[in-house]
Amino acid sequence: MAVEAAEAIEDAVARLADEVVDHRFKGLPPDAAGTTVGALAAERRNLFTGGFTTPVLALSAERLEHNLAAMETYTTRHGLAFAPHGKTPMAPQLFARQLAHGAWGTTLAVPHQVRVARAFGVPRIFLANELVDAAALRWLAGELDADPDFRFVCYVDSVPGVTLMDEALRAAGASRPVDVVVELGAGDGARTGVRTEAECAAVADAVAAAGTLRLVGVAGYEGEVPGATLEAVTSWLRRLTALAVAFDEAGRFADVDEIVLSAGGSAWFDAVATVFAELPPLSSPVLKLLRSGAYVSHDDGHYREITPFNRVPGEGGLQPAFTLWAQVVSRPEPDQAFLNAGKRDAAYDLHLPMPHTVRDRAGEFRDAKGITVTGLSDQHAWLRTESPVEVGEWVGLGLSHPCTIFDKWQLIPVAEADGTVTDYVRTFF
């Protein structure tokens, strides 16, 4: 990334510190209303004694940095470019930190997310989706024409989709072609993507015939392989690399100076690294682009269970960086209690929150062993308590699925191990 682009991102992110703290941001100290985010961060308040109200979501400063460094090390070791999926945090401050840790760019899923990233100067974007919306394509054409250094790549997976893109871009008067990769579907019954190699060739032919598009590679998402196992995922990834080889041999990349080969969610990036390393030399250098995004915060549930580092622990590891702190507000029965956090605050689509720590009213911490979340209401967590908890105590909850943790919070404190809050991460969902 050019120095100028890095400085532009840093400047745009720095301006977030000027935002005024007010009622929009839950969990923040009421007496901080009217100050700026930057001024509040400079106060270095303590999460537990500095006036924060429950529920409040916090990111561990140390674990966040650990995760950023871990994936930088992993991708560098395996010769992979990295465009972590930004839909997970939708936080430009984290985009900037990922880029500072060597990321090629950012992966996104829908036009709104691309607009957010561009508003903060992200110079390279991989859209892991089809883009057939005429208004979005008109905006994209203008963005590409205005900034010759902006790199954008997106999926195509059908001839009708290619036709719609071409029509919209022609109507917009686009002067730069949009770079596209043919998306190979992960199999029958999977999500998007072309199902057969013959159909992939037909889509590539349609791209070649459209003057507004340029074919630069192939891509897909191995996490959608039906009944995914390491063997099944590896087999599909070899189909993807074979498709890249076949397209190259057919001369489909003759007018590009870099061929894009991309895959990689957060469950199988070890298989991606292994199979992409097997790729023979092609007619141009290959950008082997990994897109795993959940790593940035990791979690205490789904991704802890499926991370590839469980299979290759010698390669590194990730740490869960989120804790949702909620307060015991009711204990109507000896083995039942209620917290003041619920579905509006906690991810619950994959697992219920998992209590791990209790902070008593004297400020002492203890293990939350014997305390289980059995259900969530909109603003309450139902606890089954084999060990006692008291009204007023704080309970730290581990959460599952980063994508649905971030999106419930607009401004997230970043806290050091002793509770000192050093920063606030702004999200844009």
Side-chain angles (χ1 to χ4, degrees):
M1 185 173 60
V3 173
E4 295 81 3
E7 291 176 347
I9 295 170
E10 289 177 4
D11 289 345
V13 165
R15 288 194 291 273
L16 289 171
D18 297 331
E19 190 161 17
V20 174
V21 174
D22 58 23
H23 60 275
R24 293 171 296 163
F25 306 123
K26 58 186 180 180
L28 299 193
D31 65 358
T35 190
T36 65
V37 172
L40 182 58
E43 292 182 21
R44 295 178 64 86
R45 296 196 186 195
N46 187 276
L47 187 71
F48 306 108
T49 62
F52 291 85
T53 63
T54 56
V56 60
L57 181 70
L59 266 170
S60 162
E62 296 88 353
R63 292 184 173 197
L64 177 62
E65 178 59 30
H66 169 90
N67 293 342
L68 290 164
M71 283 304 288
E72 179 183 20
T73 298
Y74 183 86
T75 53
T76 300
R77 180 186 300 132
H78 290 278
L80 298 170
F82 192 30
H85 213 318
K87 73 173 175 63
T88 297
M90 281 307 297
Q93 290 151 285
L94 297 184
F95 297 168
R97 290 184 66 173
Q98 289 168 326
L99 292 168
H101 275 275
W104 170 90
T106 299
T107 296
L108 296 163
V110 293
H112 157 71
Q113 296 168 355
V114 177
R115 291 183 62 202
V116 170
R118 286 300 291 163
F120 287 85
V122 175
R124 301 189 188 106
I125 293 174
F126 186 100
L127 186 68
N129 210 342
E130 284 70 44
L131 181 58
V132 296
D133 182 282
L137 286 162
R138 183 166 57 250
W139 173 84
L140 176 63
E143 197 74 4
L144 287 167
D145 289 350
D147 183 357
D149 294 324
F150 174 34
R151 179 82 193 277
F152 177 87
V153 182
C154 72
Y155 284 170
V156 288
D157 84 339
S158 70
V159 172
V162 169
T163 299
L164 286 172
M165 291 185 73
D166 185 47
E167 290 174 351
L169 291 167
R170 288 181 185 277
S175 62
R176 282 181 64 187
V178 172
D179 287 348
V180 297
V181 290
V182 172
E183 181 194 5
L184 177 66
D188 293 340
R191 201 164 59 189
T192 56
V194 186
R195 293 320 199 227
T196 69
E197 280 74 2
E199 291 171 313
C200 287
V203 173
D205 288 341
V207 171
T212 59
L213 304 176
R214 183 175 71 148
L215 182 68
V216 298
V218 299
Y221 174 47
E222 75 290 340
E224 282 291 309
V225 171
T229 62
L230 183 59
E231 292 74 22
V233 166
T234 298
S235 177
W236 179 83
L237 286 165
R238 287 182 175 140
R239 278 187 64 198
L240 182 67
T241 57
L243 181 65
V245 171
F247 274 14
D248 190 49
E249 290 175 347
R252 295 187 184 278
F253 303 133
D255 63 342
V256 302
D257 54 15
E258 181 180 67
I259 298 167
V260 177
L261 173 66
S262 181
S266 296
W268 302 104
F269 56 73
D270 57 334
V272 174
T274 296
V275 175
F276 279 15
E278 300 170 354
L279 186 76
L282 301 185
S283 60
S284 293
V286 179
L287 182 74
K288 299 176 182 178
L289 194 62
L290 184 72
R291 307 191 307 269
S292 313
Y295 83 100
V296 69
S297 67
H298 198 48
D299 73 6
D300 277 296
H302 182 67
Y303 286 94
R304 180 179 62 187
E305 295 170 359
I306 68 170
T307 176
F309 287 125
N310 291 339
R311 292 187 291 272
V312 288
E315 292 258 37
L318 301 172
Q319 299 175 356
F322 272 129
T323 296
L324 176 63
W325 289 98
Q327 196 166 27
V328 180
V329 294
S330 178
R331 192 183 175 199
E333 299 175 24
D335 62 351
Q336 186 183 55
F338 291 87
L339 303 178
N340 63 344
K343 293 179 181 178
R344 303 292 177 87
D345 314 298
Y348 59 93
D349 55 320
L350 296 180
H351 295 88
L352 289 172
M354 293 148 278
H356 57 68
T357 307
V358 178
R359 183 181 186 274
D360 67 23
R361 295 180 63 190
E364 298 297 320
F365 294 89
R366 67 179 186 271
D367 190 274
K369 182 179 180 181
I371 303 172
T372 306
V373 174
T374 60
L376 293 178
S377 301
D378 282 354
Q379 305 289 181
H380 289 91
W382 296 58
L383 298 187
R384 181 64 58 190
T385 59
E386 297 177 8
S387 57
V389 293
E390 302 299 332
V391 172
E393 293 185 321
W394 285 30
V395 178
L397 303 169
L399 302 173
S400 180
H401 195 187
C403 295
T404 54
I405 300 171
F406 277 102
D407 68 2
K408 293 173 175 60
W409 295 83
Q410 294 185 64
L411 196 61
I412 304 171
V414 179
E416 295 179 341
D418 65 357
T420 301
V421 176
T422 59
D423 199 3
Y424 297 83
V425 169
R426 183 71 158 94
T427 65
F428 293 83
F429 286 95

PDB file of all heavy atoms in Angstrom, residues 232-260:
ATOM      1  N   ALA A 232     -13.155 -33.001   1.599  1.00  0.00           N
ATOM      2  CA  ALA A 232     -14.084 -32.405   0.636  1.00  0.00           C
ATOM      3  C   ALA A 232     -13.675 -30.987   0.279  1.00  0.00           C
ATOM      4  O   ALA A 232     -13.747 -30.577  -0.894  1.00  0.00           O
ATOM      5  CB  ALA A 232     -15.500 -32.428   1.204  1.00  0.00           C
ATOM      6  N   VAL A 233     -13.251 -30.222   1.265  1.00  0.00           N
ATOM      7  CA  VAL A 233     -12.817 -28.854   1.008  1.00  0.00           C
ATOM      8  C   VAL A 233     -11.562 -28.836   0.141  1.00  0.00           C
ATOM      9  O   VAL A 233     -11.451 -28.054  -0.811  1.00  0.00           O
ATOM     10  CB  VAL A 233     -12.576 -28.119   2.343  1.00  0.00           C
ATOM     11  CG1 VAL A 233     -11.810 -26.818   2.124  1.00  0.00           C
ATOM     12  CG2 VAL A 233     -13.899 -27.846   3.036  1.00  0.00           C
ATOM     13  N   THR A 234     -10.619 -29.717   0.444  1.00  0.00           N
ATOM     14  CA  THR A 234      -9.390 -29.797  -0.351  1.00  0.00           C
ATOM     15  C   THR A 234      -9.698 -30.157  -1.792  1.00  0.00           C
ATOM     16  O   THR A 234      -9.124 -29.585  -2.734  1.00  0.00           O
ATOM     17  CB  THR A 234      -8.426 -30.824   0.264  1.00  0.00           C
ATOM     18  OG1 THR A 234      -8.066 -30.402   1.582  1.00  0.00           O
ATOM     19  CG2 THR A 234      -7.167 -30.988  -0.571  1.00  0.00           C
ATOM     20  N   SER A 235     -10.620 -31.082  -1.991  1.00  0.00           N
ATOM     21  CA  SER A 235     -11.013 -31.473  -3.347  1.00  0.00           C
ATOM     22  C   SER A 235     -11.597 -30.294  -4.106  1.00  0.00           C
ATOM     23  O   SER A 235     -11.259 -30.057  -5.280  1.00  0.00           O
ATOM     24  CB  SER A 235     -12.013 -32.618  -3.284  1.00  0.00           C
ATOM     25  OG  SER A 235     -12.447 -32.969  -4.574  1.00  0.00           O
ATOM     26  N   TRP A 236     -12.473 -29.545  -3.445  1.00  0.00           N
ATOM     27  CA  TRP A 236     -13.067 -28.383  -4.120  1.00  0.00           C
ATOM     28  C   TRP A 236     -12.007 -27.323  -4.421  1.00  0.00           C
ATOM     29  O   TRP A 236     -12.015 -26.718  -5.504  1.00  0.00           O
ATOM     30  CB  TRP A 236     -14.174 -27.779  -3.267  1.00  0.00           C
ATOM     31  CG  TRP A 236     -14.773 -26.577  -3.935  1.00  0.00           C
ATOM     32  CD1 TRP A 236     -15.734 -26.552  -4.890  1.00  0.00           C
ATOM     33  CD2 TRP A 236     -14.364 -25.216  -3.732  1.00  0.00           C
ATOM     34  NE1 TRP A 236     -15.968 -25.250  -5.289  1.00  0.00           N
ATOM     35  CE2 TRP A 236     -15.150 -24.419  -4.598  1.00  0.00           C
ATOM     36  CE3 TRP A 236     -13.432 -24.601  -2.894  1.00  0.00           C
ATOM     37  CZ2 TRP A 236     -15.025 -23.043  -4.648  1.00  0.00           C
ATOM     38  CZ3 TRP A 236     -13.298 -23.224  -2.954  1.00  0.00           C
ATOM     39  CH2 TRP A 236     -14.094 -22.450  -3.817  1.00  0.00           C
ATOM     40  N   LEU A 237     -11.105 -27.079  -3.503  1.00  0.00           N
ATOM     41  CA  LEU A 237     -10.058 -26.091  -3.745  1.00  0.00           C
ATOM     42  C   LEU A 237      -9.191 -26.485  -4.934  1.00  0.00           C
ATOM     43  O   LEU A 237      -8.742 -25.617  -5.706  1.00  0.00           O
ATOM     44  CB  LEU A 237      -9.200 -25.924  -2.491  1.00  0.00           C
ATOM     45  CG  LEU A 237      -9.850 -25.143  -1.340  1.00  0.00           C
ATOM     46  CD1 LEU A 237      -9.087 -25.352  -0.046  1.00  0.00           C
ATOM     47  CD2 LEU A 237      -9.914 -23.648  -1.675  1.00  0.00           C
ATOM     48  N   ARG A 238      -8.975 -27.767  -5.109  1.00  0.00           N
ATOM     49  CA  ARG A 238      -8.199 -28.208  -6.282  1.00  0.00           C
ATOM     50  C   ARG A 238      -9.000 -28.015  -7.571  1.00  0.00           C
ATOM     51  O   ARG A 238      -8.407 -27.757  -8.627  1.00  0.00           O
ATOM     52  CB  ARG A 238      -7.766 -29.666  -6.094  1.00  0.00           C
ATOM     53  CG  ARG A 238      -6.643 -29.779  -5.056  1.00  0.00           C
ATOM     54  CD  ARG A 238      -6.144 -31.178  -4.850  1.00  0.00           C
ATOM     55  NE  ARG A 238      -4.994 -31.162  -3.935  1.00  0.00           N
ATOM     56  CZ  ARG A 238      -4.773 -32.052  -2.984  1.00  0.00           C
ATOM     57  NH1 ARG A 238      -5.611 -33.073  -2.813  1.00  0.00           N
ATOM     58  NH2 ARG A 238      -3.708 -31.946  -2.207  1.00  0.00           N
ATOM     59  N   ARG A 239     -10.320 -28.107  -7.502  1.00  0.00           N
ATOM     60  CA  ARG A 239     -11.141 -27.735  -8.666  1.00  0.00           C
ATOM     61  C   ARG A 239     -10.932 -26.262  -8.993  1.00  0.00           C
ATOM     62  O   ARG A 239     -10.831 -25.878 -10.171  1.00  0.00           O
ATOM     63  CB  ARG A 239     -12.618 -27.982  -8.381  1.00  0.00           C
ATOM     64  CG  ARG A 239     -13.127 -29.389  -8.558  1.00  0.00           C
ATOM     65  CD  ARG A 239     -14.647 -29.426  -8.392  1.00  0.00           C
ATOM     66  NE  ARG A 239     -15.320 -28.661  -9.429  1.00  0.00           N
ATOM     67  CZ  ARG A 239     -16.580 -28.238  -9.349  1.00  0.00           C
ATOM     68  NH1 ARG A 239     -17.298 -28.472  -8.248  1.00  0.00           N
ATOM     69  NH2 ARG A 239     -17.135 -27.564 -10.337  1.00  0.00           N
ATOM     70  N   LEU A 240     -10.881 -25.427  -7.950  1.00  0.00           N
ATOM     71  CA  LEU A 240     -10.717 -23.993  -8.160  1.00  0.00           C
ATOM     72  C   LEU A 240      -9.366 -23.684  -8.798  1.00  0.00           C
ATOM     73  O   LEU A 240      -9.292 -22.904  -9.769  1.00  0.00           O
ATOM     74  CB  LEU A 240     -10.849 -23.259  -6.824  1.00  0.00           C
ATOM     75  CG  LEU A 240     -10.746 -21.737  -6.879  1.00  0.00           C
ATOM     76  CD1 LEU A 240     -11.937 -21.143  -7.619  1.00  0.00           C
ATOM     77  CD2 LEU A 240     -10.657 -21.154  -5.467  1.00  0.00           C
ATOM     78  N   THR A 241      -8.299 -24.282  -8.292  1.00  0.00           N
ATOM     79  CA  THR A 241      -6.982 -24.014  -8.882  1.00  0.00           C
ATOM     80  C   THR A 241      -6.879 -24.590 -10.289  1.00  0.00           C
ATOM     81  O   THR A 241      -6.247 -23.987 -11.162  1.00  0.00           O
ATOM     82  CB  THR A 241      -5.856 -24.560  -7.990  1.00  0.00           C
ATOM     83  OG1 THR A 241      -6.051 -25.964  -7.774  1.00  0.00           O
ATOM     84  CG2 THR A 241      -5.822 -23.841  -6.657  1.00  0.00           C
ATOM     85  N   ALA A 242      -7.517 -25.739 -10.532  1.00  0.00           N
ATOM     86  CA  ALA A 242      -7.523 -26.311 -11.878  1.00  0.00           C
ATOM     87  C   ALA A 242      -8.258 -25.394 -12.848  1.00  0.00           C
ATOM     88  O   ALA A 242      -7.877 -25.270 -14.025  1.00  0.00           O
ATOM     89  CB  ALA A 242      -8.163 -27.696 -11.864  1.00  0.00           C
ATOM     90  N   LEU A 243      -9.310 -24.735 -12.359  1.00  0.00           N
ATOM     91  CA  LEU A 243     -10.042 -23.786 -13.208  1.00  0.00           C
ATOM     92  C   LEU A 243      -9.139 -22.609 -13.570  1.00  0.00           C
ATOM     93  O   LEU A 243      -9.135 -22.153 -14.727  1.00  0.00           O
ATOM     94  CB  LEU A 243     -11.287 -23.301 -12.481  1.00  0.00           C
ATOM     95  CG  LEU A 243     -12.165 -22.314 -13.241  1.00  0.00           C
ATOM     96  CD1 LEU A 243     -12.780 -22.970 -14.485  1.00  0.00           C
ATOM     97  CD2 LEU A 243     -13.274 -21.772 -12.323  1.00  0.00           C
ATOM     98  N   ALA A 244      -8.368 -22.124 -12.619  1.00  0.00           N
ATOM     99  CA  ALA A 244      -7.429 -21.037 -12.916  1.00  0.00           C
ATOM    100  C   ALA A 244      -6.421 -21.453 -13.973  1.00  0.00           C
ATOM    101  O   ALA A 244      -6.118 -20.693 -14.903  1.00  0.00           O
ATOM    102  CB  ALA A 244      -6.719 -20.609 -11.631  1.00  0.00           C
ATOM    103  N   VAL A 245      -5.894 -22.670 -13.843  1.00  0.00           N
ATOM    104  CA  VAL A 245      -4.927 -23.184 -14.819  1.00  0.00           C
ATOM    105  C   VAL A 245      -5.569 -23.295 -16.198  1.00  0.00           C
ATOM    106  O   VAL A 245      -4.988 -22.884 -17.215  1.00  0.00           O
ATOM    107  CB  VAL A 245      -4.364 -24.541 -14.362  1.00  0.00           C
ATOM    108  CG1 VAL A 245      -3.538 -25.186 -15.473  1.00  0.00           C
ATOM    109  CG2 VAL A 245      -3.528 -24.379 -13.095  1.00  0.00           C
ATOM    110  N   ALA A 246      -6.787 -23.845 -16.264  1.00  0.00           N
ATOM    111  CA  ALA A 246      -7.468 -24.023 -17.547  1.00  0.00           C
ATOM    112  C   ALA A 246      -7.756 -22.680 -18.204  1.00  0.00           C
ATOM    113  O   ALA A 246      -7.568 -22.520 -19.432  1.00  0.00           O
ATOM    114  CB  ALA A 246      -8.770 -24.805 -17.331  1.00  0.00           C
ATOM    115  N   PHE A 247      -8.210 -21.708 -17.431  1.00  0.00           N
ATOM    116  CA  PHE A 247      -8.472 -20.382 -17.995  1.00  0.00           C
ATOM    117  C   PHE A 247      -7.186 -19.758 -18.518  1.00  0.00           C
ATOM    118  O   PHE A 247      -7.175 -19.107 -19.573  1.00  0.00           O
ATOM    119  CB  PHE A 247      -9.090 -19.481 -16.922  1.00  0.00           C
ATOM    120  CG  PHE A 247     -10.593 -19.584 -16.795  1.00  0.00           C
ATOM    121  CD1 PHE A 247     -11.302 -20.621 -17.372  1.00  0.00           C
ATOM    122  CD2 PHE A 247     -11.298 -18.623 -16.078  1.00  0.00           C
ATOM    123  CE1 PHE A 247     -12.678 -20.704 -17.247  1.00  0.00           C
ATOM    124  CE2 PHE A 247     -12.670 -18.689 -15.947  1.00  0.00           C
ATOM    125  CZ  PHE A 247     -13.368 -19.735 -16.533  1.00  0.00           C
ATOM    126  N   ASP A 248      -6.101 -19.948 -17.786  1.00  0.00           N
ATOM    127  CA  ASP A 248      -4.831 -19.373 -18.220  1.00  0.00           C
ATOM    128  C   ASP A 248      -4.345 -20.028 -19.509  1.00  0.00           C
ATOM    129  O   ASP A 248      -3.899 -19.343 -20.440  1.00  0.00           O
ATOM    130  CB  ASP A 248      -3.792 -19.537 -17.114  1.00  0.00           C
ATOM    131  CG  ASP A 248      -2.522 -18.758 -17.391  1.00  0.00           C
ATOM    132  OD1 ASP A 248      -2.619 -17.560 -17.727  1.00  0.00           O
ATOM    133  OD2 ASP A 248      -1.429 -19.344 -17.292  1.00  0.00           O
ATOM    134  N   GLU A 249      -4.460 -21.349 -19.569  1.00  0.00           N
ATOM    135  CA  GLU A 249      -4.043 -22.058 -20.778  1.00  0.00           C
ATOM    136  C   GLU A 249      -4.880 -21.656 -21.982  1.00  0.00           C
ATOM    137  O   GLU A 249      -4.396 -21.678 -23.127  1.00  0.00           O
ATOM    138  CB  GLU A 249      -4.124 -23.564 -20.553  1.00  0.00           C
ATOM    139  CG  GLU A 249      -3.069 -24.090 -19.576  1.00  0.00           C
ATOM    140  CD  GLU A 249      -3.227 -25.567 -19.264  1.00  0.00           C
ATOM    141  OE1 GLU A 249      -4.299 -26.137 -19.601  1.00  0.00           O
ATOM    142  OE2 GLU A 249      -2.295 -26.154 -18.671  1.00  0.00           O
ATOM    143  N   ALA A 250      -6.116 -21.273 -21.739  1.00  0.00           N
ATOM    144  CA  ALA A 250      -6.998 -20.837 -22.826  1.00  0.00           C
ATOM    145  C   ALA A 250      -6.773 -19.379 -23.214  1.00  0.00           C
ATOM    146  O   ALA A 250      -7.457 -18.866 -24.112  1.00  0.00           O
ATOM    147  CB  ALA A 250      -8.451 -21.043 -22.416  1.00  0.00           C
ATOM    148  N   GLY A 251      -5.838 -18.719 -22.557  1.00  0.00           N
ATOM    149  CA  GLY A 251      -5.521 -17.338 -22.898  1.00  0.00           C
ATOM    150  C   GLY A 251      -6.488 -16.314 -22.348  1.00  0.00           C
ATOM    151  O   GLY A 251      -6.506 -15.166 -22.804  1.00  0.00           O
ATOM    152  N   ARG A 252      -7.272 -16.696 -21.346  1.00  0.00           N
ATOM    153  CA  ARG A 252      -8.294 -15.779 -20.827  1.00  0.00           C
ATOM    154  C   ARG A 252      -7.696 -14.655 -19.984  1.00  0.00           C
ATOM    155  O   ARG A 252      -8.382 -13.664 -19.707  1.00  0.00           O
ATOM    156  CB  ARG A 252      -9.333 -16.546 -20.013  1.00  0.00           C
ATOM    157  CG  ARG A 252     -10.149 -17.542 -20.834  1.00  0.00           C
ATOM    158  CD  ARG A 252     -11.273 -18.144 -19.997  1.00  0.00           C
ATOM    159  NE  ARG A 252     -12.023 -19.160 -20.721  1.00  0.00           N
ATOM    160  CZ  ARG A 252     -13.003 -18.924 -21.574  1.00  0.00           C
ATOM    161  NH1 ARG A 252     -13.340 -17.653 -21.845  1.00  0.00           N
ATOM    162  NH2 ARG A 252     -13.641 -19.904 -22.174  1.00  0.00           N
ATOM    163  N   PHE A 253      -6.453 -14.787 -19.554  1.00  0.00           N
ATOM    164  CA  PHE A 253      -5.820 -13.753 -18.738  1.00  0.00           C
ATOM    165  C   PHE A 253      -4.707 -13.030 -19.502  1.00  0.00           C
ATOM    166  O   PHE A 253      -3.799 -12.449 -18.903  1.00  0.00           O
ATOM    167  CB  PHE A 253      -5.233 -14.377 -17.465  1.00  0.00           C
ATOM    168  CG  PHE A 253      -6.227 -15.121 -16.619  1.00  0.00           C
ATOM    169  CD1 PHE A 253      -5.927 -16.393 -16.131  1.00  0.00           C
ATOM    170  CD2 PHE A 253      -7.470 -14.579 -16.322  1.00  0.00           C
ATOM    171  CE1 PHE A 253      -6.832 -17.080 -15.343  1.00  0.00           C
ATOM    172  CE2 PHE A 253      -8.391 -15.258 -15.547  1.00  0.00           C
ATOM    173  CZ  PHE A 253      -8.077 -16.518 -15.051  1.00  0.00           C
ATOM    174  N   ALA A 254      -4.786 -13.041 -20.797  1.00  0.00           N
ATOM    175  CA  ALA A 254      -3.697 -12.494 -21.616  1.00  0.00           C
ATOM    176  C   ALA A 254      -3.486 -11.007 -21.405  1.00  0.00           C
ATOM    177  O   ALA A 254      -2.362 -10.507 -21.583  1.00  0.00           O
ATOM    178  CB  ALA A 254      -3.985 -12.768 -23.096  1.00  0.00           C
ATOM    179  N   ASP A 255      -4.544 -10.274 -21.021  1.00  0.00           N
ATOM    180  CA  ASP A 255      -4.400  -8.822 -20.900  1.00  0.00           C
ATOM    181  C   ASP A 255      -4.295  -8.354 -19.455  1.00  0.00           C
ATOM    182  O   ASP A 255      -4.508  -7.173 -19.168  1.00  0.00           O
ATOM    183  CB  ASP A 255      -5.572  -8.116 -21.589  1.00  0.00           C
ATOM    184  CG  ASP A 255      -6.912  -8.430 -20.937  1.00  0.00           C
ATOM    185  OD1 ASP A 255      -6.989  -9.427 -20.194  1.00  0.00           O
ATOM    186  OD2 ASP A 255      -7.882  -7.676 -21.169  1.00  0.00           O
ATOM    187  N   VAL A 256      -3.951  -9.257 -18.527  1.00  0.00           N
ATOM    188  CA  VAL A 256      -3.777  -8.839 -17.134  1.00  0.00           C
ATOM    189  C   VAL A 256      -2.342  -9.117 -16.713  1.00  0.00           C
ATOM    190  O   VAL A 256      -1.701 -10.054 -17.187  1.00  0.00           O
ATOM    191  CB  VAL A 256      -4.764  -9.561 -16.184  1.00  0.00           C
ATOM    192  CG1 VAL A 256      -6.204  -9.289 -16.612  1.00  0.00           C
ATOM    193  CG2 VAL A 256      -4.499 -11.049 -16.106  1.00  0.00           C
ATOM    194  N   ASP A 257      -1.845  -8.298 -15.812  1.00  0.00           N
ATOM    195  CA  ASP A 257      -0.473  -8.498 -15.330  1.00  0.00           C
ATOM    196  C   ASP A 257      -0.440  -9.187 -13.971  1.00  0.00           C
ATOM    197  O   ASP A 257       0.634  -9.420 -13.416  1.00  0.00           O
ATOM    198  CB  ASP A 257       0.292  -7.179 -15.267  1.00  0.00           C
ATOM    199  CG  ASP A 257      -0.430  -6.112 -14.452  1.00  0.00           C
ATOM    200  OD1 ASP A 257      -1.372  -6.461 -13.706  1.00  0.00           O
ATOM    201  OD2 ASP A 257      -0.049  -4.930 -14.566  1.00  0.00           O
ATOM    202  N   GLU A 258      -1.626  -9.521 -13.441  1.00  0.00           N
ATOM    203  CA  GLU A 258      -1.717 -10.252 -12.182  1.00  0.00           C
ATOM    204  C   GLU A 258      -3.008 -11.047 -12.177  1.00  0.00           C
ATOM    205  O   GLU A 258      -4.081 -10.496 -12.394  1.00  0.00           O
ATOM    206  CB  GLU A 258      -1.687  -9.279 -11.000  1.00  0.00           C
ATOM    207  CG  GLU A 258      -1.760  -9.945  -9.640  1.00  0.00           C
ATOM    208  CD  GLU A 258      -1.736  -8.926  -8.517  1.00  0.00           C
ATOM    209  OE1 GLU A 258      -2.726  -8.150  -8.387  1.00  0.00           O
ATOM    210  OE2 GLU A 258      -0.735  -8.898  -7.775  1.00  0.00           O
ATOM    211  N   ILE A 259      -2.889 -12.337 -11.951  1.00  0.00           N
ATOM    212  CA  ILE A 259      -4.061 -13.221 -11.920  1.00  0.00           C
ATOM    213  C   ILE A 259      -4.500 -13.391 -10.468  1.00  0.00           C
ATOM    214  O   ILE A 259      -3.676 -13.668  -9.591  1.00  0.00           O
ATOM    215  CB  ILE A 259      -3.718 -14.592 -12.538  1.00  0.00           C
ATOM    216  CG1 ILE A 259      -3.314 -14.417 -14.009  1.00  0.00           C
ATOM    217  CG2 ILE A 259      -4.899 -15.557 -12.416  1.00  0.00           C
ATOM    218  CD1 ILE A 259      -2.670 -15.655 -14.608  1.00  0.00           C
ATOM    219  N   VAL A 260      -5.797 -13.228 -10.234  1.00  0.00           N
ATOM    220  CA  VAL A 260      -6.336 -13.318  -8.881  1.00  0.00           C
ATOM    221  C   VAL A 260      -6.892 -14.723  -8.640  1.00  0.00           C
ATOM    222  O   VAL A 260      -7.716 -15.220  -9.417  1.00  0.00           O
ATOM    223  CB  VAL A 260      -7.442 -12.271  -8.648  1.00  0.00           C
ATOM    224  CG1 VAL A 260      -8.045 -12.426  -7.244  1.00  0.00           C
ATOM    225  CG2 VAL A 260      -6.892 -10.861  -8.851  1.00  0.00           C
TER     226      VAL A 260
END
